Amino acid sequence: MSDLDHNSANCAANPAANRVAHHLDEVRQRIAKAAQAAGRDPQAVMLLAVSKTFPADAVRAAHAAGQRAFGENYVQESLDKIQTLADLRASLEWHFIGPLQSNKTRPVAEHFDWVHSVDRLKIAQRLSEQRPDNLPPLNVCLQVNVSGEASKSGVGIAEAADIARQIAVLPKLTLRGLMSIPEPAGDLDAQRAPHRELRELFERLRGDGLALDTLSMGMSADLEAAVLEGATIVRVGTAIFGARDYSH
Ligand SMILES: *Cc1c(COP(=O)(O)O)cnc(C)c1O
């Protein structure tokens, strides 16, 4: 069999992997187009592939298609996946993006590279204490409850500066920026409003001297709006892996 035959045989044998690669391409093009419209460098927007509820094989397929950063929401599910994919660990970045209870911080501090969903000081303190000494500081974002936040978690805009300053001095964390999960909105203008709010807060905090470089905002339905408002990480699940099935 020639190489070409061999490749097409692989493709035919793995339509699910093909689909992931194709969807990744589409999402990358959406990001590039929005970045262009905003006069931004598309490279300044990192795509975080949200793999929650999808099996390790889906992550493997995305990795084979060049994707490196993956987002997970559930502690036990993510630990199983990280273990199954241990052979890829050196070329993968794991980002925890789900609600985090204080009794579950230790494995997250031990196994992840980033946590986007820090929504109170106590969680940050525990992550810092529990981050192993042999690992680099854990990258974190402060989750902010912008107007109409769907999840209702996150700190209020008014208290964000104070909490951010206290997180920024914790020894085993690097406070990288802010994250939000706005309520789904229909049109582009409505989608941009909460992202703009987060970006304005980000700019105020930077103006106050905090060294932040990350705005984690935008998902499958509103990534264009987020990129237009300055997102540096978009967190995309459905548009890459398909609809999630929570029944098992
Ligand atoms: C599930 C999830 C996403 C991805 O959402 P999609 O609409 O599937 O792209 C992004 N961010 C967070 C915090 C999530 O929980």
Side-chain angles (χ1 to χ4, degrees):
M1 213 196 293
S2 76
D3 270 3
L4 196 65
D5 290 341
H6 190 70
N7 279 337
S8 35
N10 270 344
C11 285
N14 200 344
N18 257 351
R19 206 155 41 234
V20 166
H22 175 70
H23 287 164
L24 265 173
D25 239 31
E26 287 180 343
V27 170
R28 289 180 189 130
Q29 281 171 33
R30 284 175 62 189
I31 293 170
K33 208 169 149 206
Q36 231 156 32
R40 301 182 58 202
D41 177 2
Q43 305 290 340
V45 184
M46 185 180 95
L47 173 58
L48 180 65
V50 177
S51 45
K52 67 179 179 221
T53 78
F54 287 94
D57 278 352
V59 174
R60 217 175 264 289
H63 179 271
Q67 179 63 27
R68 292 294 175 262
F70 292 87
E72 288 285 335
N73 288 56
Y74 311 108
V75 174
Q76 194 51 55
E77 180 197 333
S78 62
L79 295 177
D80 293 346
K81 229 175 277 183
I82 290 171
Q83 188 173 28
T84 305
L85 296 166
D87 58 308
L88 302 180
R89 186 65 183 94
S91 62
L92 283 189
E93 245 180 44
W94 290 106
H95 295 232
F96 193 83
I97 62 174
L100 188 51
Q101 295 167 336
S102 57
N103 63 351
K104 300 257 180 75
T105 50
R106 184 177 296 278
V108 171
E110 290 175 348
H111 294 284
F112 279 80
D113 302 294
W114 284 70
V115 176
H116 293 227
S117 44
V118 172
D119 61 356
R120 51 198 192 277
L121 183 61
K122 184 183 173 194
I123 295 290
Q125 286 167 332
R126 291 178 65 90
L127 289 170
S128 181
E129 281 159 19
Q130 294 167 343
R131 181 69 167 171
D133 280 332
N134 63 319
L135 294 180
L138 182 64
N139 297 294
V140 302
C141 293
L142 179 60
Q143 184 174 351
V144 178
N145 191 337
V146 289
S147 58
E149 170 149 358
S151 76
K152 302 296 171 233
S153 42
V155 305
I157 296 233
E159 51 181 346
D162 208 44
I163 297 172
R165 260 190 292 276
Q166 296 180 73
I167 294 175
V169 297
L170 294 172
K172 291 295 289 179
L173 302 186
T174 301
L175 179 64
R176 297 293 296 268
L178 306 177
M179 177 271 219
S180 70
I181 313 173
E183 197 83 57
D187 64 76
L188 187 68
D189 284 343
Q191 290 175 354
R192 286 181 70 158
H195 295 320
R196 184 176 315 125
E197 246 187 292
L198 194 70
R199 194 235 314 146
E200 287 169 357
L201 174 63
F202 175 76
E203 284 168 0
R204 282 201 297 280
L205 298 184
R206 279 162 50 105
D208 288 349
L210 283 170
L212 308 181
D213 63 8
T214 300
L215 263 177
S216 168
M217 57 188 198
M219 317 201 298
S220 292
D222 65 347
L223 72 87
E224 283 85 358
V227 170
L228 287 168
E229 291 297 342
T232 66
I233 300 182
V234 291
R235 309 177 308 265
V236 180
T238 310
I240 297 170
F241 297 110
R244 285 181 290 275
D245 177 0
Y246 287 99
S247 63
H248 35 255

